[in-house]
Amino acid sequence: MGLNYYQIKKNVLKARKLVIKGTTAAGSGHPGGSFSMAEILGCILYKFLKYDPKNPLWEDRDRLILSKGHASPGLFSNLAVAGFFEPSEIETLRKFGSILQGHPDFKCPGVEFCGGSLGLGLSYSIGNALAAKIDGKNHRIFTIIGDGESDEGQVWEAAMTASKFKVDNMTVIMDRNFIQQDSYTEKIMPLDEELIGDDLSEMWKDASRWKIGDKWRAFGWNVYEIDGHRIEQIDYAITKAIQAKGVPSIIIARTIKGKSVEHMEDNPQWHGKAPKPDIAPVIDVELDSQFMIAPSIIAGDMSNLEKEIKRCKEGRADYIHLDVMDGQFVPNSTFDHNKIKELRPLTVIPFDAHLMINEPVKHVRNYVDAGSDIISVHAEVCDESSFGEIHDILRQNQVGVGLAINPDTELPDWSKKFVADLDQLIVMSVVPGKSGQKYIETIHEKTQKLVTTLKENNFHGYVEADGGVNLENAGQCFLDGARVFVGGGAIIGQKDVRGVIRELRNTILRARRKLLIQKAHELGGADLVNNWIDLHVLGEKKTQLIQISKELGYN
Ligand code: DX5
Ligand code: ZN
């Protein structure tokens, strides 16, 4: 069974957009804390939680308890995406008489706890978990608590209680975003070690300085520390926590307040403030342009792929791109599903298997069983019927559905039927067969045209640029519409994988900033461009935005 990566990701995106829509319409609300827990909530709702949106009070449902109730826009948006009510309802957020109030309320289907007063959700969850045990019920309690609300003494009373009563039918996740109200948790009431220096916004990145887990361990809890924006890590930790018996479990998820919208990220100002209506459409484009880096390990030492996986992990790759070549579809051969199976236990990073093989329909099950999370097959060796079969196998197994096309292949007519449901389209920018070739320049234009066609056909997946992508052309590939960047020679072929991935991200980020400034200009001319730039108060973003805007001749 795959990770269900894309489905979770797509739903999280939909929910984030609704948060912006709702808070903008209301003119108030809490986007920051809604965004820090977005992936956590997405994983719980679209992977683990048992519920029936048509019967929200179904007795055997799992309970989702949001203790940090001010992040209600995030909860409501996800409940809408999960089908509890119409997404358009979000426009009534905080309006008199609406089911969607500033803090969760039982009027809203799917809400299990009114979390306005902070620090109470954990005790309430323990009560629910113990009640389930007494009643002999198997349902589970999933609870999200905030780091700021952990200042409350009741949280620690609850921590002792859960330990005493061995509450193991509850999974607690702490949204550790390091911000509470208008400042940083470590300034207001430190949960970690004393900080040296002033660069508080940098602190979350340094896991070695994290001591909050030790507090929970001291209270007798089983603790997991993860990156709370990585779906695969959340998935792994929740799976482990569910398996742990006789002990309460907490996942400390380090997150970024305002995650996905640059000007909100890590900025306490966005704890409880709504975007302005004229800015919201630009934010929407930003949300739509998240991107992923996928190193291709065949560019490394083929006799030691284990080492290459390790380098991808250290480099913090988003996916690991696995080029399977069978010596028939392409002259070379690399490895098959057996190798993927061997590599699978080494990491939880999603495996992005690119099958350059003949008759993929005959083999695709093996690649599912080997642990791939995304599988792309070539259009040149598929037709409507075989791709339909592949599509169904992948969907049933929660594996992402991908199609790949060679540089001289156009999107075949039969594939149009699948476009709306496709997770990934690989646009090859070299003739497939080996790493280290030069990017074929005409592919820029091809990708741009393709993206238009894809949009017309209701595509909601990601275009992956594969072949000869490097620091020089990645920005343009992004502007063409690519959102996943495979790098063989440019990443794995380099010594410092982590450094080059960071550089690649920065290059693409710059292109994204350009796209957003262009969007702001299109919507509101120089005024909106300046307003947009002025929102970026932290770090060096603003300087770069001003520079980009000058280059574009906007001011
Ligand atoms: C080519 C493969 C690519 C390639 C990437 O057949 O599909 O993934 O190896 O390597 P570079 O980035 O070096 O082209
Ligand atoms: Zn590839």
Side-chain angles (χ1 to χ4, degrees):
M1 197 63 90
L3 189 53
N4 207 21
Y5 183 85
Y6 283 111
Q7 299 310 314
I8 297 173
K9 222 175 161 59
K10 281 180 200 172
N11 285 341
V12 168
L13 172 62
K14 275 189 207 158
R16 274 205 172 94
K17 287 186 164 185
L18 289 176
V19 168
I20 293 299
K21 203 178 203 176
T23 51
T24 307
S28 60
H30 297 80
S34 295
F35 283 178
S36 60
M37 65 167 186
E39 279 76 17
I40 298 169
L41 212 45
C43 266
I44 296 175
L45 264 162
Y46 313 117
K47 184 78 187 266
F48 293 98
L49 199 79
K50 275 189 288 157
Y51 59 94
D52 176 3
K54 300 282 165 278
N55 183 12
L57 295 177
W58 170 43
E59 213 188 321
D60 292 332
R61 72 193 185 280
D62 288 339
R63 271 51 166 186
L64 170 61
I65 292 167
L66 177 68
S67 185
K68 38 168 266 174
H70 54 275
S72 60
L75 177 65
F76 296 153
S77 299
N78 275 288
L79 292 175
V81 173
F84 283 92
F85 48 85
E86 283 303 313
S88 57
E89 197 72 28
I90 202 74
E91 286 175 72
T92 70
L93 181 72
R94 290 180 158 239
K95 301 244 159 54
F96 190 66
S98 166
I99 55 165
L100 309 180
Q101 288 304 313
H103 292 79
D105 186 297
F106 285 138
K107 280 200 286 291
C108 174
V111 167
E112 300 277 359
F113 174 69
C114 304
S117 308
L118 291 171
L120 308 177
L122 186 55
S123 306
Y124 185 81
S125 303
I126 293 168
N128 269 267
L130 290 173
K133 284 200 181 217
I134 292 167
D135 294 343
K137 296 280 188 191
N138 284 326
H139 61 254
R140 207 171 171 79
I141 321 295
F142 290 90
T143 303
I144 302 179
I145 64 172
D147 49 2
E149 69 166 334
S150 301
D151 294 356
E152 302 283 351
Q154 184 167 340
V155 172
W156 303 100
E157 294 174 38
M160 287 189 281
T161 310
S163 187
K164 172 176 172 176
F165 293 108
K166 301 187 178 16
V167 178
D168 56 5
N169 53 344
M170 168 183 80
T171 304
V172 180
I173 304 178
M174 177 189 280
D175 177 5
R176 180 69 168 122
N177 58 34
F178 284 88
I179 290 175
Q180 69 187 116
Q181 295 281 9
D182 56 354
S183 186
Y184 295 91
T185 55
E186 303 314 289
K187 271 193 178 169
I188 294 175
M189 183 58 75
L191 283 165
D192 265 274
E193 272 189 342
E194 192 191 349
L195 275 172
I196 300 161
D198 291 318
D199 201 358
L200 295 171
S201 67
E202 283 293 301
M203 182 187 169
W204 75 271
K205 293 173 190 162
D206 185 0
S208 67
R209 294 169 74 177
W210 284 43
K211 295 289 174 267
I212 176 79
D214 292 347
K215 283 194 172 60
W216 289 88
R217 282 186 198 97
F219 277 78
W221 286 57
N222 179 32
V223 181
Y224 304 93
E225 282 128 330
I226 59 161
D227 178 336
H229 295 298
R230 294 240 175 194
I231 287 166
E232 70 277 12
Q233 290 191 25
I234 306 168
D235 175 85
Y236 179 80
I238 295 182
T239 306
K240 284 279 169 202
I242 290 174
Q243 286 163 2
K245 298 293 170 219
V247 62
S249 294
I250 185 165
I251 298 164
I252 314 275
R254 59 175 190 282
T255 57
I256 300 179
K257 208 145 178 174
K259 173 72 179 178
S260 282
V261 179
E262 269 204 278
H263 69 263
M264 293 185 180
E265 286 185 1
D266 253 340
N267 182 352
Q269 261 190 26
W270 291 97
H271 167 80
K273 191 168 82 173
K276 295 257 170 5
D278 55 347
I279 290 290
V282 189
I283 295 178
D284 247 22
V285 179
E286 184 168 4
L287 291 175
D288 267 329
S289 43
Q290 308 302 313
F291 60 88
M292 275 81 70
I293 309 279
S296 160
I297 56 171
I298 62 161
D301 179 356
M302 286 293 286
S303 66
N304 191 356
L305 289 176
E306 290 72 12
K307 185 188 82 194
E308 302 304 348
I309 297 279
K310 212 172 140 215
R311 295 174 75 220
C312 293
K313 266 167 82 173
E314 286 162 6
R316 304 196 178 166
D318 296 303
Y319 306 161
I320 297 179
H321 187 76
L322 300 166
D323 288 305
V324 176
M325 302 184 190
D326 65 352
Q328 292 169 20
F329 178 75
V330 286
N332 276 337
S333 52
T334 50
F335 47 77
D336 66 7
H337 55 93
N338 291 310
K339 190 71 203 174
I340 296 182
K341 202 172 202 153
E342 254 176 70
L343 299 174
R344 186 64 281 189
L346 301 179
T347 180
V348 293
I349 298 178
F351 275 181
D352 171 29
H354 177 190
L355 306 189
M356 283 160 277
I357 61 174
N358 277 343
E359 301 190 273
V361 67
K362 282 194 182 161
H363 308 282
V364 73
R365 269 180 206 282
N366 291 332
Y367 290 89
V368 170
D369 295 342
S372 313
D373 298 294
I374 306 149
I375 296 182
S376 303
V377 297
H378 266 266
E380 297 80 9
V381 283
C382 285
D383 57 19
E384 184 172 340
S385 135
S386 66
F387 190 75
E389 206 178 312
I390 291 170
H391 168 276
D392 294 349
I393 295 170
L394 299 182
R395 277 276 171 266
Q396 279 152 20
N397 287 284
Q398 304 198 339
V399 173
V401 182
L403 187 66
I405 52 172
N406 282 344
D408 52 7
T409 304
E410 292 302 327
L411 206 58
D413 274 338
W414 61 259
S415 72
K416 304 264 164 73
K417 182 179 158 192
F418 298 98
V419 164
D421 197 36
L422 212 55
D423 295 312
Q424 172 161 286
L425 180 73
I426 301 186
V427 182
M428 292 297 307
S429 35
V430 298
V431 176
K434 59 176 195 259
S435 143
Q437 307 179 69
K438 208 175 145 353
Y439 184 97
I440 301 169
E441 285 304 315
T442 51
I443 302 300
H444 286 304
E445 208 189 317
K446 176 182 175 181
T447 308
Q448 291 162 24
K449 283 193 183 144
L450 257 172
V451 168
T452 312
T453 314
L454 290 170
K455 272 193 194 141
E456 286 163 7
N457 287 277
N458 222 356
F459 179 66
H460 287 101
Y462 295 83
V463 169
E464 180 171 271
D466 185 7
V469 175
N470 58 30
L471 280 168
E472 280 72 53
N473 58 27
Q476 185 54 48
C477 292
F478 174 87
L479 294 172
D480 299 338
R483 294 294 176 263
V484 189
F485 300 83
V486 174
I491 301 178
I492 293 295
Q494 306 299 311
K495 238 192 170 135
D496 177 11
V497 170
R498 174 128 180 227
V500 78
I501 288 184
R502 197 182 295 133
E503 240 183 297
L504 209 47
R505 278 197 213 284
N506 285 336
T507 304
I508 299 166
L509 208 54
R510 192 181 201 280
R512 190 172 84 176
R513 288 173 181 162
K514 181 174 172 189
L515 176 85
L516 298 176
I517 288 190
Q518 283 171 323
K519 185 73 196 176
H521 194 261
E522 180 194 319
L523 293 172
D527 283 349
L528 195 60
V529 170
N530 289 332
N531 292 347
W532 177 253
I533 292 174
D534 285 341
L535 288 169
H536 296 77
V537 291
L538 289 183
E540 282 148 24
K541 295 169 201 166
K542 191 167 181 169
T543 322
Q544 191 184 74
L545 287 167
I546 293 172
Q547 194 192 6
I548 295 170
S549 160
K550 277 202 180 121
E551 279 166 25
L552 287 166
Y554 295 159
N555 51 18

